[in-house]
Amino acid sequence: MNIKGIIEKRVSVRTFDESRELSPVVVEDIKQSISNATTPFGDGFTIDFKKFDLKGPQTPSTYGTISGASWYLLMGIRDDDMAALAAGYGMEKVVLRATELGLGTCWMALTFKGSDFTKGTQMPDDEPLRIISPVGYPARKRKMLESITRMTLGSAKRKPMDDLFSEGEFGNPVKEGNKFYEALAMMRLAPSAKNTQPWRALVRGDEVWFYYEQKTEASVLDLGIGLCHFDLTIKEDGHEGIWEKSVNAPEKQGYIPVVKFTLKG
């Protein structure tokens, strides 16, 4: 499956089939994808993959939001913006690989008891646990709580392209046929905290300036998730580019510049 198909297939899953175990081959594949989770934005994050006994005394708490998952991705992040950006990008690569394998995932930043998940886990001292994601086979039917959660968060609703991405000047929509249109369309499908979709972009020629709006504490990380979709799509389309921190970015009130992408050749 190509990257666009994988991105379009990925949805947040909260109800899992407890009867279907992950095979050793699948577990090793996920662990290998963690090893391959390099980013254009450096590091500052650590991802672990851990199994919990759902019937044991140390069952981790997600306050009832997740059902049937025994395997979890755990991510510690250093406390700075570039680490958060890199973390979003890196873990989404793992999430997309899990999706390709037919597995469900769900980014979680708040609704879990951290001390339950950190027992026996070796995270660097300066990279505390901030994100988890269950990993497993989706159940055939969602539980009522999952359906209510999706409706509350508007998980199936996306802002239109014209609200997120501009060409030339802010407010001027990126037109279909633009060399970056498909990559930005895939960025639009990225998950984000409370479905806030904080990423913004301005296209000028061979350059794309990326910004975020401060919607939640996870907005920079969410931008990193979106940039993973953008970058992987660009690469699959046979293009390469240079990433660099934003300097003298075009300004718009409420938009916080982070990085710029310049197409090669």
Side-chain angles (χ1 to χ4, degrees):
M1 188 183 301
N2 63 29
I3 192 62
K4 295 174 190 175
I6 297 168
I7 289 170
E8 290 169 345
K9 181 181 177 184
R10 187 218 61 80
V11 295
S12 295
V13 175
R14 298 174 178 84
T15 308
F16 295 84
D17 186 347
E18 192 173 341
S19 69
R20 294 190 67 186
E21 286 281 346
L22 301 189
S23 71
V25 172
V26 168
V27 170
E28 185 56 37
D29 195 306
I30 296 296
K31 289 181 177 180
Q32 185 59 49
S33 73
I34 293 171
S35 298
N36 295 336
T38 55
T39 88
F41 313 115
D43 47 26
F45 66 95
T46 298
I47 304 174
D48 195 7
F49 191 42
K50 185 176 178 181
K51 185 179 182 180
F52 296 87
D53 183 356
L54 297 185
K55 297 178 181 178
Q58 294 185 351
T59 301
S61 174
T62 58
Y63 305 107
T65 58
I66 301 298
S67 173
S70 57
W71 283 94
Y72 283 82
L73 293 166
L74 314 176
M75 183 164 65
I77 309 174
R78 193 173 60 226
D79 188 19
D80 69 66
D81 281 354
M82 289 308 293
L85 192 77
Y89 184 109
M91 183 140 150
E92 183 66 359
K93 286 177 76 173
V94 181
V95 165
L96 292 175
R97 177 56 184 162
T99 302
E100 188 175 15
L101 293 171
L103 303 172
T105 58
C106 181
W107 282 82
M108 302 178 68
L110 295 174
T111 50
F112 66 93
K113 188 176 179 181
S115 59
D116 287 356
F117 286 92
T118 54
K119 290 175 183 176
T121 302
Q122 298 298 317
M123 291 286 180
D125 291 340
D126 63 342
E127 295 176 8
L129 179 67
R130 300 187 187 278
I131 300 291
I132 68 168
S133 172
V135 179
Y137 292 100
R140 291 187 177 182
K141 291 185 179 180
R142 294 188 182 118
K143 286 198 170 182
M144 181 65 71
L145 180 59
E146 175 168 5
S147 298
I148 292 171
T149 300
R150 286 183 64 82
M151 287 189 292
T152 301
L153 297 178
S155 299
K157 297 179 181 177
R158 297 283 172 184
K159 292 183 175 71
M161 291 277 289
D162 293 359
D163 289 357
L164 303 173
F165 312 123
S166 301
E167 182 177 359
E169 301 296 335
F170 290 111
N172 184 35
V174 179
K175 297 180 178 61
E176 257 186 281
N178 182 282
K179 65 188 78 174
F180 296 113
Y181 187 89
E182 286 298 320
L184 292 171
M186 294 300 104
M187 185 176 188
R188 174 178 170 269
L189 298 181
S192 58
K194 300 179 181 179
N195 198 34
T196 50
Q197 304 161 68
W199 39 78
R200 303 291 182 266
L202 176 64
V203 177
R204 287 184 173 176
D206 288 336
E207 298 178 334
V208 189
W209 302 83
F210 289 98
Y211 307 73
Y212 70 95
E213 287 191 293
Q214 187 71 63
K215 301 287 189 179
T216 71
E217 291 184 0
S219 291
V220 178
L221 181 137
D222 291 340
L223 175 60
I225 299 172
L227 292 179
C228 177
H229 286 203
F230 175 91
D231 195 41
L232 294 182
T233 303
I234 284 287
K235 288 176 178 175
E236 186 171 83
D237 287 343
H239 302 299
E240 293 289 339
I242 299 170
W243 289 98
E244 55 191 326
K245 288 185 178 181
S246 288
V247 177
N248 299 321
E251 296 181 1
K252 180 174 171 59
Q253 186 173 3
Y255 285 23
I256 303 169
V258 183
V259 290
K260 181 180 74 169
F261 177 83
T262 304
L263 199 64
K264 285 183 179 178

